[in-house]
């Protein structure tokens, strides 16, 4: 029984993002890359699944440049059994990523479950898991908080607006995209970190998947940073004057009312 | 007839009990030597010998606690002197007439006088012991059957000795030796005057001879399994002790391919020195009395910890001796007394180690247990996971980007080592000084003072990383070593002549723990550096804003590194500033609660340590609580707020107080 976890390596939340000289990508110097926190929930969920289903093999898959190997090692240290690295260029879009993941998974063995995070915290696109499910012709449920597994189906709780829960029962194989709160990801023990360092990470090229780096639907024309947040403005005077000034500022300066 | 058979019985009794004693002691010794974990304590032999003189014969630490200290010293010295007589008694029992009287009456008489007085001294000490355990009953003192048995044995021994000597005097009232018996002579005269015949008195003395002998031998057999084992182990433990004040945590070899476990999981992971520590404990409870965790209702008591580890060691002695330790359980578990809550409650303040009369290293047990929990079992307080992540990704325990590390001094014109590698002083700011809003102000004050004194300094900026203390003290040796190695590389690139730190934790780690990783530098805490600048006349404090001040000692400056004076010197150098000491100051200072990575953990059990300390500080009436550590400052500031005194009392770093006194 094969279980996959698809993961992305993203800049650390505290990294200062700078636009690269080409104006179309980010400058990756000085960026600390981490395993996307949502994908971490997915990794944890897959390991917990395996703890209850010892026959399962968990395969971590990541598509991206060579640096993503570190994210795969993190997943291996947490408890994944094997890992596949799909070599993709830095700026690959969600379409190519999803397609390459789908093909690599198909090649590697029929999935029983595919876990992933609900979105990556860098571009926040939240597209890959659904596109990948589409390419694999599998059902996908995203923003999942809870899963109960049985032999042929999974009962899922999905968070929707306002904290309400939708309940699903989905036949396996299926794609499950984790929301924060699905579990508490574990901290890898030292022996597992050491073992992970020695595990082989299988590298797959686009050519092996019958794809090329031009199989994209989106290209970036320009990137820019959001405007710097201005300093706080303090309004003084009595309450009536303050209210008046506030309305004027919202209307004239911020132009929101 | 009696004289013909006595030697055989005496010999048989001695031979039997000594064999048993040696048999038991051998097991204890073999247990030590069967432990595979190494500990090297073969250095500085002269200092070690000196320490035995001072702390064993001189009872230096024992005497730190007045009444029990004096009582113990009387018992200790009394026993040593009386033991000479006890050996004499045994020899004389076997070879009649072979005794100290052969040395001539002048010497023998004096010995008898001293021994007789010492018997009284021991008896008084024991009486005080009973009084303390049965009437005074201080909370930190455990009084079990063991403690009372030991006292009863000792009392019985002394009484038997008096009995034997008194009846001897009565049996031979004309003997010239009688004049030397101070107490027994007095008692002997009473017996004599009561009309007891010398023959019967002789029988009485022999009865007491046997009573004394059997008590001695019984005691001997009792020792190896009791808390009285300390009379065998304390001496060696003091000889092999951690010398000096400063110490480094054990550097675990994480690259060891053959290691199956790291840190202290099973009891068999102890080193021989760790086991010797356990043997040496006298259960005096002094460590518990000083421990901030115990004082605030946490499940940790260092003396219980040592006791529970010892129970575990004795329970698994057979497995250790047979070297079949694979199946042993971890010491830290729900039913061993040493629970995870116990291990995580420690602030690593070393108050316990400071007061322990036999130099036991309690923090080693705690640090090594934490290592095992984190590295092998990934088990630690949930809050620490974020801290570990931040340290891994941004080299600071807080969630700030590493490339903003030097942002605090953007407007201060501070040079960086990369641009000014020859700077005389490398100012190692630390994570708090770099990121914490409150501590940034302290760092700013330090910069102001350095500039005022024309010190040629530079910081590492983005090249600086957390020194490794929070990770290391929280048991994450792997992460700590990663940080340490990266910092060592940076430091060795610049080879600074002096490193100035703004935090006692940076100070301690850089000074004491980096040497094992190949970086040995002259490291100084800012209070020492600034007090030197004052002494050299480079800083001239004038009257400042703070007048009534109390100073809180940081554990990592004081008990870890013996820096008590410099912060006080700075405060003293400021005119019109008056320092009122708290009752618990210097090496008796109470921890703020933040050490041992407790800064980053929640304090859910018992009362809060920082409140306890803040109350003490507020009671001095001072308007300013001075600290020399960013973590202490945070803890005390929180304490002042909790006591709703923030309008009246401020917490400031000594550097800030000084900076405000210099225009
Ligand atoms: S180091 Fe401090 S907190 Fe830890 S056991 Fe010793 S006295 Fe208690
Ligand atoms: S560890 Fe030291 S201070 Fe604590 S009870 Fe034992 S001997 Fe006393």
């Amino acid at each position: 029984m094969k279980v996959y976890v698809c993961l992305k390596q993203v800049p650390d939340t505290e990294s200062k993002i700078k636009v690269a000289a080409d104006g179309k990508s980010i400058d990756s110097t000085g960026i600390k890359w981490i395993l996307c926190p949502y994908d971490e929930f997915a990794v944890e969920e897959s390991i917990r699944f395996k703890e209850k289903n010892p026959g399962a093999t968990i395969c971590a898959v990541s598509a991206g440049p060579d640096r993503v190997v570190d994210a795969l090692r993190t997943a291996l240290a947490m408890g994944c059994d094997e890992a596949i690295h799909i070599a993709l260029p830095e700026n690959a879009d969600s379409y190519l990523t999803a397609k390459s993941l789908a093909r690599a998974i198909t090649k590697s063995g029929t999935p029983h479950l595919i876990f992933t995070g609900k979105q990556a915290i860098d571009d926040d696109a939240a597209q890959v898991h659904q596109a990948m499910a589409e390419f694999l012709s599998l059902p996908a449920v995203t923003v999942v908080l809870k899963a109960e597994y049985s032999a042929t189906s999974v009962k899922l709780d999905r968070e929707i607006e306002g904290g309400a829960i939708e309940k699903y029962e989905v036949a396996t194989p299926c794609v499950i995209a984790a929301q924060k709160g699905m579990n508490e990801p574990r901290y890898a023990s030292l022996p597992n970190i050491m073992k992970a360092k020695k595990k082989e990470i299988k590298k797959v090229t686009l050519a092996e998947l019958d794809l090329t780096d031009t199989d994209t639907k989106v290209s970036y024309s320009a990137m820019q940073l959001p405007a710097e947040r201005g300093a706080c403005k303090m309004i003084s005077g009595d309450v009536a004057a303050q209210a008046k000034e506030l309305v004027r500022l919202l209307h004239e300066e911020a132009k929101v009312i | 007839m009696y004289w013909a058979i006595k030697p055989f019985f005496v010999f048989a009794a001695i031979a039997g009990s000594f064999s048993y004693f040696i048999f038991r002691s051998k097991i204890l010794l073999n247990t030590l030597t069967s432990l595979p974990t190494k500990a090297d304590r073969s250095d500085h032999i002269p200092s070690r010998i000196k320490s035995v003189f001072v702390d064993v014969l001189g009872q230096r630490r024992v005497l730190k606690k007045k009444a029990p200290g004096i009582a113990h010293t009387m018992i200790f010295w009394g026993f040593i002197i009386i033991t000479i007589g006890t050996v004499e008694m045994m020899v004389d029992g076997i070879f009649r007439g072979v005794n100290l009287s052969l040395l001539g009456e002048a010497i023998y008489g004096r010995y008898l006088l001293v021994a007789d007085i010492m018997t009284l001294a021991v008896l008084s000490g024991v009486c005080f012991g009973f009084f303390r355990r049965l009437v005074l009953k201080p909370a930190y003192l455990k009084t079990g059957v063991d403690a009372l048995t030991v006292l009863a044995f000792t009392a019985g021994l002394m009484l038997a000795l008096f009995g034997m000597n008194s009846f001897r005097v009565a049996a031979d009232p004309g003997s010239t030796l009688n004049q030397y018996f101070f107490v027994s002579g007095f008692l002997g005269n009473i017996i004599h005057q009561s009309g007891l015949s010398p023959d019967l008195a002789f029988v009485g003395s022999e009865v007491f001879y046997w009573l004394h002998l059997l008590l001695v031998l019984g005691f001997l057999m009792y020792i190896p399994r009791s808390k009285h084992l300390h009379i065998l182990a304390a001496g060696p433990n003091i000889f092999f002790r951690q010398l000096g004040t400063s110490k480094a945590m054990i550097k675990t070899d994480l690259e060891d391919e053959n290691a199956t476990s790291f840190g202290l999981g099973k009891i068999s992971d102890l080193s021989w020195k760790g086991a010797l520590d356990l043997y040496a404990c006298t259960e005096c409870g002094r460590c518990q009395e000083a421990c901030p965790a115990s004082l605030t209702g946490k499940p940790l008591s260092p003396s219980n910890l040592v006791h529970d580890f010892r129970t575990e060691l004795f329970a698994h002695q057979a497995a250790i001796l047979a070297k079949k330790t694979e199946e042993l359980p971890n010491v830290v578990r729900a039913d061993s007394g040493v629970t995870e809550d116990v291990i995580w409650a420690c602030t690593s303040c070393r108050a316990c180690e400071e007061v322990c009369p036999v130099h036991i290293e309690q923090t080693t047990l705690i640090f090594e247990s934490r290592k095992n929990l984190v590295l092998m079992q990934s088990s630690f307080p949930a809050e620490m996971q974020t801290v570990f992540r931040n340290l891994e990704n941004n080299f600071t325990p807080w969630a700030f980007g590493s490339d903003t590390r030097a942002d605090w001094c953007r407007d201060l014109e501070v040079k960086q080592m990369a641009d000014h590698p020859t700077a005389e002083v490398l100012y190692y700011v630390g994570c708090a000084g770099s990121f914490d809003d409150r501590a940034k102000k302290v760092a700013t004050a330090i910069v102001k003072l350095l500039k005022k004194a024309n010190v040629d300094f530079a910081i590492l900026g983005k090249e600086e990383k957390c020194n490794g203390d929070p990770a290391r003290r929280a048991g994450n040796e792997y992460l700590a070593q990663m940080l340490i190695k990266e910092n060592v590389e940076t430091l060795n690139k610049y080879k600074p002549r002096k490193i100035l730190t703004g935090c006692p934790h940076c100070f301690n780690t850089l000074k004491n723990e980096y040497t094992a990783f190949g970086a040995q530098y002259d490291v100084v805490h800012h209070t020492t550096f600034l007090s030197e600048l004052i002494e050299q006349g480079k800083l001239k404090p004038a009257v400042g804003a703070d007048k009534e001040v109390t100073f809180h000692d940081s554990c990592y400056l004081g008990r870890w590194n013996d820096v008590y004076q410099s912060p006080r010197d700075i405060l003293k150098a400021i005119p019109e500033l008056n320092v009122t000491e708290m009752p618990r100051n210097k090496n008796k200072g109470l921890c703020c609660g933040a050490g041992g990575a407790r800064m980053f953990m929640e304090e859910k059990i018992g009362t809060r340590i920082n409140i306890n300390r803040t109350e003490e500080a507020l009671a001095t009436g001072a308007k300013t609580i001075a600290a020399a550590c960013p973590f202490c400052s945070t803890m005390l500031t929180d304490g002042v707020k909790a006591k709703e005194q923030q309008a009246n009392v401020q917490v400031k770093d000594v550097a800030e107080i000084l900076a405000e006194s210099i225009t």
Side-chain angles (χ1 to χ4, degrees), chain A residues 165-222:
Chain A
I165 301 289
E166 280 182 353
K167 291 194 174 280
Y168 287 83
E169 180 156 7
V170 187
T172 53
C174 63
V175 176
I176 299 170
Q179 161 70 321
K180 178 181 180 176
M182 190 172 192
N183 50 45
E184 280 296 330
R186 72 196 57 201
Y187 193 78
S189 72
L190 185 57
N192 287 347
I193 295 174
M194 294 305 177
K195 265 184 250 155
K197 280 189 181 164
K198 293 194 191 118
K199 276 190 194 160
E200 187 209 3
I201 293 178
K202 202 171 150 214
K203 187 165 177 171
V204 179
T205 60
L206 278 182
E208 288 170 69
L209 301 173
D210 283 331
L211 291 164
T212 67
D213 39 359
T214 51
D215 287 327
T216 53
K217 300 280 181 202
V218 176
S219 65
Y220 296 87
S221 53

Side-chain angles (χ1 to χ4, degrees), chain B residues 61 140-142 230 237 277-278 280-289 301-307 310 351-362:
Chain B
R61 280 206 173 178
Y140 55 83
L141 201 60
K142 269 187 289 295
H230 84 268
N237 203 53
D277 268 346
L278 305 182
C281 177
T282 70
E283 294 180 15
C284 70
R286 295 183 187 195
C287 51
Q288 177 179 327
E289 191 192 14
S301 143
S303 70
N304 288 349
L305 181 88
V306 171
H307 181 89
R310 173 153 77 178
C352 48
E353 299 185 351
E354 180 78 30
V355 296
C356 181
V358 293
H359 289 272
I360 286 168
E361 294 155 44
Q362 292 92 338

Side-chain angles (χ1 to χ4, degrees), chain B residues 287 290-294 300-302 345-353 362-363 366:
Chain B
C287 51
C291 172
S294 309
L300 164 66
S301 143
C346 176
T347 69
S348 73
C349 72
R350 286 182 78 195
C352 48
E353 299 185 351
Q362 292 92 338
T363 58
I366 292 169

Side-chain angles (χ1 to χ4, degrees), chain A residues 12 14-16 18 30 32-34 40 185-191 193-194 197-198, chain B residues 254 257 262 375-376 378 380 385 388-389 392-394 399-401 403-404 407 476 478:
Chain A
D12 178 70
E14 305 306 329
S15 292
K16 241 194 229 157
K18 289 174 283 260
K32 175 80 196 181
W33 297 95
I34 61 165
E40 226 175 298
R186 72 196 57 201
Y187 193 78
S189 72
L190 185 57
I193 295 174
M194 294 305 177
K197 280 189 181 164
K198 293 194 191 118
Chain B
L254 301 175
E257 296 274 338
F262 299 102
L375 299 179
M376 301 307 297
S378 297
F380 45 81
Q385 183 142 342
F388 291 157
R389 282 283 146 79
E392 280 164 17
N393 298 331
N394 288 299
F400 292 100
D403 47 2
T404 61
D407 285 6
N476 199 335
Y478 179 66

Side-chain angles (χ1 to χ4, degrees), chain B residues 313-330:
Chain B
L313 180 65
F314 286 159
H316 299 301
Q317 216 166 30
I320 293 171
L321 288 169
K323 301 213 161 51
K324 288 208 167 61
T325 54
E326 301 81 27
E327 303 292 309
L328 292 187
N330 283 330

Side-chain angles (χ1 to χ4, degrees), chain B residues 290-580:
Chain B
C291 172
S294 309
L295 286 172
T296 54
K298 315 284 187 286
L300 164 66
S301 143
S303 70
N304 288 349
L305 181 88
V306 171
H307 181 89
D308 292 338
F309 266 88
R310 173 153 77 178
T311 308
E312 186 78 3
L313 180 65
F314 286 159
H316 299 301
Q317 216 166 30
I320 293 171
L321 288 169
K323 301 213 161 51
K324 288 208 167 61
T325 54
E326 301 81 27
E327 303 292 309
L328 292 187
N330 283 330
V331 183
V332 181
R333 56 175 197 270
D335 67 349
S336 73
V338 192
T339 60
E340 295 203 19
D341 281 340
V342 166
I343 293 299
W344 292 111
C346 176
T347 69
S348 73
C349 72
R350 286 182 78 195
C352 48
E353 299 185 351
E354 180 78 30
V355 296
C356 181
V358 293
H359 289 272
I360 286 168
E361 294 155 44
Q362 292 92 338
T363 58
T364 305
L365 294 174
I366 292 169
F367 288 150
E368 294 305 299
S369 298
R370 285 186 179 182
K371 273 184 199 168
N372 189 270
L373 286 171
V374 173
L375 299 179
M376 301 307 297
Q377 306 171 47
S378 297
S379 183
F380 45 81
E383 313 86 87
M384 288 311 290
Q385 183 142 342
T386 323
V387 175
F388 291 157
R389 282 283 146 79
N390 291 335
L391 284 166
E392 280 164 17
N393 298 331
N394 288 299
F395 321 117
T396 168
W398 295 291
F400 292 100
S402 56
D403 47 2
T404 61
R405 199 168 178 106
D407 285 6
W408 67 278
C409 60
R410 237 188 324 215
D411 307 323
L412 292 178
E413 288 178 38
V414 175
K415 287 190 190 127
Q416 305 216 356
M417 287 302 276
D419 309 320
H420 182 41
T422 56
E424 251 160 59
V425 174
L426 189 168
Y427 172 26
Y428 192 94
V429 186
C431 297
S434 303
F435 295 115
D436 178 79
D437 281 336
R438 184 67 193 81
K440 279 192 226 170
K441 295 197 181 124
V442 180
T444 307
I446 293 176
V447 165
K448 180 187 155 189
L449 291 166
L450 295 178
K451 289 193 168 182
K452 189 85 196 170
N454 287 321
V455 177
D456 174 25
F457 74 99
I459 64 168
L460 284 170
K462 286 179 211 176
E463 285 186 281
E464 182 184 291
K465 300 194 161 116
C466 172
N467 71 73
D469 166 280
R472 209 164 196 215
R473 262 94 194 135
N476 199 335
E477 180 79 1
Y478 179 66
L479 177 54
Q481 290 198 8
M482 232 154 66
L483 292 164
I484 293 173
K485 282 178 189 158
E486 287 171 24
N487 277 324
V488 164
E489 203 176 301
T490 310
L491 291 177
N492 288 349
K493 182 170 78 182
Y494 294 118
K495 300 205 175 7
R497 272 162 283 172
K498 196 189 251 324
I499 302 176
L500 164 69
T501 73
C503 165
H505 297 265
C506 299
F507 169 62
N508 178 68
T509 317
L510 290 172
K511 173 170 159 274
N512 300 321
E513 305 199 342
Y514 275 38
T515 44
F517 295 86
Q520 189 150 22
Y521 293 99
D522 176 14
V523 187
V524 55
H525 181 255
H526 69 265
T527 52
T528 306
F529 191 71
L530 294 174
S531 77
E532 282 166 10
L533 291 178
I534 296 175
E535 207 178 303
Q536 294 158 5
K538 292 186 181 156
L539 289 175
K540 295 197 177 62
V543 179
D546 304 287
K547 300 281 190 301
E548 292 303 324
V549 181
T550 188
F551 177 71
H552 163 80
D553 286 280
S554 146
C555 307
Y556 276 79
L557 264 193
R559 276 186 293 266
W560 279 83
N561 288 295
D562 217 7
V563 179
Y564 295 111
Q565 211 41 53
S566 347
R568 290 180 168 82
D569 285 346
I570 296 179
L571 294 173
K572 247 190 267 157
I574 301 173
E576 291 177 29
L577 187 152
N578 178 35
V579 180
T580 313

